[in-house]
Amino acid sequence: MQTILGANGQIAIELARELRRNHTNDVRLVSRNPRKVNDSDGLVSADLLDARQTLDAVKGSRVVYFTAGLPPDTELWERQFPVMLKNALDACRAEGASFAYFDNTYMYPQDDRVQTEDTPFAPVGRKGKVRAAMASMVLEEMARGDIPVLIGRAPEFYGPGKTQSFTNALVIEKLQKQATPLVPVRDDTRRTLIWTPDASRALATLGNASDAFGHTWHLPCCDERPTYKEFVEMACRAFGRETSYRVIGKWAFSAAGLFSRQVREIRELLPRYAHDNLFDSTKFKQRFPGFEVTSYPQGIQRIRQDSAGHCAGQERGLDGG
C-alpha cells in the first residue's frame, strides 16, 4: 500500500497516476474529500489536523507521501502546516511506514547562487520561515532513523491542469484567456521551473528506491533555464500568438496589495524574481540517468494541447455530444 496525504492537488493527482502506472496497484488517497484518480484507488476521508484520523489513514501503508497544500494564507500556514506534518510523521512512525516529503524552495536564499541540496536555509518572510521549520522537522526525523525518510524538493511549477504558480497564473493562464502575459519584476532573469508531471514521476521514483531514503533530493528540471522573456516567447509561439507581454514591477504589486489580500500574501516571494533562479538537480540525474526530463518547448506544447482538448470537450458538452 502506498498512500498520498493531501490527495487533491495537481502533484498528488499526477503522483497517483504514476504510482498506479509503474509501481503499485494499491494506492490510497487521503484528504478531507478525496476523489479517485485511478479506478482502483482506495479513498480515505481524513483531517490531517486530527492525529487519530491521520493515524487511521496511514494504517497498512508501506510508503506515505506528504503532498498536502494550503491556500496562500500566512496565518493558516503558521497555524496548520506544522500540525499536519507532525501528525503525519507520528503516524508513519507508529505504523513503521516510509515517509516521502514533497517540499518547495521557499526557505532558500532569494539570490543568484546555485541551489543544491546543501544550500543553507535563509527564509525571507513568514511563509519561508514556516517551510524552513517544516523541512527541519523532516530532517530531524530523518536523522533520528526510526523510519526511512526522504525529501523531494521542487522549484516553481509550470504544467497542465490546475497547476498553481506565478508563472502559470501570469503567463499560461493569460494566454489561455486570450489576454496579455505578465512578467513579475524582470524579464531578463533566468528561471528554473519544474514540469509538474516530472515532479510527480520523480517523487514516485524516489519513494520506490530504497537507497533514496535518508537523503534530500532536488527533483529533476530541464537545465536550459530560459529568461522570462524567452519563456513567454515560447509560450506565445505555442499558442499561436504574437510575442507580447508586460513587466509588473514591485511597486505595482505593492499598490495592488492595498486592495487585494491575495497579492499581499505573495509579495514576500517577489525578491526571488529579481535574481536568476539556478536550481540544480544533478544529484537526482546522476542516480536515475534514465529519467527523461521534459524540455520547456515540450511542456508548453503539452499545456497548449491540454487546453485545446479541454475547450473541445466543453464545446461537445454544450452541443450535447
Side-chain angles (χ1 to χ4, degrees):
M1 171 80 69
Q2 300 200 31
T3 296
I4 303 173
L5 300 181
N8 287 343
Q10 195 65 30
I11 292 294
I13 290 170
E14 290 158 356
L15 174 60
R17 289 179 182 139
E18 177 64 15
L19 289 175
R20 178 63 180 84
R21 186 164 49 233
N22 287 314
H23 299 287
T24 179
N25 295 325
D26 201 0
V27 176
R28 177 186 292 164
L29 306 182
V30 179
S31 68
R32 290 186 178 183
N33 298 290
R35 298 183 296 271
K36 284 192 175 185
V37 176
N38 311 294
D39 290 341
S40 59
D41 292 339
L43 303 182
V44 174
S45 177
D47 181 354
L48 299 183
L49 292 169
D50 185 294
R52 171 52 60 180
Q53 290 185 36
T54 306
L55 178 60
D56 290 342
V58 306
K59 282 187 175 177
S61 301
R62 182 176 66 84
V63 183
V64 173
Y65 302 86
F66 186 92
T67 63
L70 287 172
D73 180 314
T74 298
E75 292 184 1
L76 194 68
W77 279 38
E78 292 172 337
R79 188 170 66 251
Q80 294 190 2
F81 251 150
V83 176
M84 295 162 63
L85 179 58
K86 182 179 185 302
N87 287 343
L89 286 167
D90 289 347
C92 288
R93 197 182 314 112
E95 189 63 21
S98 300
F99 186 79
Y101 176 61
F102 182 71
D103 200 8
N104 66 22
T105 61
Y106 282 20
M107 75 293 294
Y108 281 163
Q110 298 189 8
D111 56 25
D112 293 315
R113 78 186 70 183
V114 176
Q115 298 171 350
T116 71
E117 289 84 353
D118 297 323
T119 296
F121 296 171
V124 175
R126 290 163 65 185
K127 289 189 190 65
K129 291 177 181 177
V130 171
R131 296 303 304 206
M134 292 172 68
S136 296
M137 191 187 307
V138 178
L139 289 170
E140 289 168 5
E141 188 70 42
M142 189 186 297
R144 188 179 296 118
D146 293 339
I147 55 174
V149 174
L150 68 81
I151 296 174
R153 184 167 292 142
E156 185 180 345
F157 303 156
Y158 81 109
K162 297 179 180 179
T163 297
Q164 298 184 27
S165 73
F166 260 24
T167 300
N168 254 48
L170 298 180
V171 178
I172 302 299
E173 291 177 16
K174 291 291 185 182
L175 288 170
Q176 290 170 332
K177 296 174 183 177
Q178 304 296 313
T180 300
L182 303 175
V183 170
V185 185
R186 292 175 58 167
D187 66 354
D188 61 344
T189 55
R190 298 204 167 273
R191 316 309 306 160
T192 308
L193 305 172
I194 193 164
W195 173 246
T196 49
D198 283 358
S200 298
R201 287 194 302 120
L203 192 62
T205 298
L206 291 171
N208 288 276
S210 60
D211 65 330
F213 289 89
H215 296 274
T216 297
W217 301 86
H218 277 187
L219 300 180
C221 304
C222 179
D223 289 331
E224 292 174 6
R225 300 192 182 102
T227 64
Y228 251 127
K229 179 178 185 293
E230 292 166 343
F231 185 87
V232 172
E233 288 172 346
M234 284 188 279
C236 287
R237 282 198 301 271
F239 279 81
R241 295 270 301 276
E242 292 288 331
T243 298
S244 176
Y245 63 92
R246 188 157 54 95
V247 177
I248 305 297
K250 290 181 183 179
W251 64 269
F253 280 100
S254 297
L258 296 173
F259 308 100
S260 168
R261 178 178 179 179
Q262 184 178 19
V263 173
R264 288 197 298 274
E265 289 290 346
I266 61 177
R267 279 187 302 186
E268 71 182 60
L269 304 178
L270 289 178
R272 65 179 179 170
Y273 292 94
H275 301 277
D276 290 341
N277 178 241
L278 307 176
F279 180 90
D280 183 88
S281 50
T282 300
K283 177 179 174 180
F284 183 99
K285 292 170 182 172
Q286 289 179 341
R287 169 58 184 84
F288 302 99
F291 190 99
E292 294 187 8
V293 177
T294 303
S295 70
Y296 290 101
Q298 289 172 332
I300 293 169
Q301 188 59 42
R302 290 178 194 174
I303 294 172
R304 175 70 182 94
Q305 293 167 352
D306 183 73
S307 299
H310 180 69
C311 290
Q314 287 184 324
E315 290 175 2
R316 285 195 296 272
L318 289 172
D319 293 338

